[in-house]
Amino acid sequence: MTNWRNHGDAWTEWRRALGGDRMHHGWILAGKSGLGKRDFASAAARELVAEEGVQMPAGNHPDILTLTHLPKDEKEEKKRDEGKPYQIKRNISVNQIRAMQKRLTTRPTLGSRRAIVIDPADDMEPSASNALLKSLEEPPQGTFFLLVTHRPSRLLPTIRSRCRLLRFPLIADGDLSAMLDEEGGVPGEDARQAAIHAAEGSFGAALRFIEQDMGSLAQLIARILAEGDPAFTGRGELSRAIGPRADRERIQSVLELAQAIVADRARNAESAEVRLPLITAHGDLVKLAAQAPTYNFDTGLLAMEIGTLLSNASAGSEHANG
């Protein structure tokens, strides 16, 4: 398992609560994607269900239920079972929540506690969120919920109000560099520094940047931001670089990369006049990233939308120059 250097405070808070008289039944593990919240949830759940005198299985634990994205269809389910990459459904469904709730009518298998991990909880469909709320309002004795979320604001306010918030901080650049060393396979110093710069504190984003060889995309995004794209050629190049059949992970990586580069430009802008369109573009890219996993989209049109937001924020655009 990855050595997450940003988990120290979270473990301190979790273990303090675990050793207290009244452990809260609902937890929201919040922070940017790629900060190790899933690994934390898995390890914390095992600590939660561990009891003196009860042997812990080495593999899957019967009292830890994890709800996440299911395969898209039977074909993708077969790929999963064969250990191959597979496409997933866009949402965690109400049927998954209801199936979990049926399990809650029975006692835990090995001990007195059961952990429910939902990852990512902000991808639950509305009916699933409403169904989960009933369990959070009246949790069965010994049942605890760990909701992994990248965007806590997408959770129902009533869910947030019934859970304790555990925030995960960004990872410092020096720690990211050390973690990449431990991971291995980093192609070179230039690629490492580019990945760290674009990741903005997310180890997962840094890995995706390297694995998907997004150096050329970073250069293209930076060029559109610097020069604009009056002839639409940059947007066409961006569409081709992303690829006509880009999967969800690649699209999210491109959006994260664009956000990071725009944010960096905004921080280093020489004037408020230059900074304002960059801040606007960053906000629009964040909205687009939130919408992309939920709605059907044409990759080419999405690339054009990203390129337009970048061009509008460019120092060379009419918008930026007033």
Side-chain angles (χ1 to χ4, degrees), residues 66-101:
T66 300
L67 279 64
T68 189
H69 295 283
L70 294 175
K72 184 179 179 180
D73 50 34
E74 290 183 2
K75 180 180 178 182
E76 299 303 317
E77 186 175 352
K78 184 178 180 181
K79 290 181 182 178
R80 180 198 62 182
D81 295 342
E82 294 173 349
K84 300 176 180 178
Y86 61 93
Q87 295 183 39
I88 60 175
K89 293 182 178 179
R90 297 184 184 278
N91 300 109
I92 294 173
S93 71
V94 66
N95 289 336
Q96 289 175 265
I97 299 296
R98 287 172 177 163
M100 173 270 291
Q101 289 171 327

Side-chain angles (χ1 to χ4, degrees), residues 89-157:
K89 293 182 178 179
R90 297 184 184 278
N91 300 109
I92 294 173
S93 71
V94 66
N95 289 336
Q96 289 175 265
I97 299 296
R98 287 172 177 163
M100 173 270 291
Q101 289 171 327
K102 288 182 180 179
R103 291 283 299 274
L104 301 187
T105 61
T106 63
R107 294 179 55 84
T109 303
L110 298 182
S112 61
R113 289 178 169 180
R114 175 186 283 128
I116 311 298
V117 178
I118 303 180
D119 175 31
D122 38 1
D123 275 358
M124 286 188 292
E125 59 188 24
S127 54
S129 295
N130 288 321
L132 175 65
L133 181 58
K134 295 178 181 178
S135 293
L136 288 171
E137 288 173 339
E138 299 179 4
Q141 185 175 0
T143 296
F144 300 85
F145 296 87
L146 291 85
L147 311 184
V148 176
T149 175
H150 313 315
R151 297 176 294 275
S153 60
R154 293 186 62 187
L155 296 176
L156 291 175

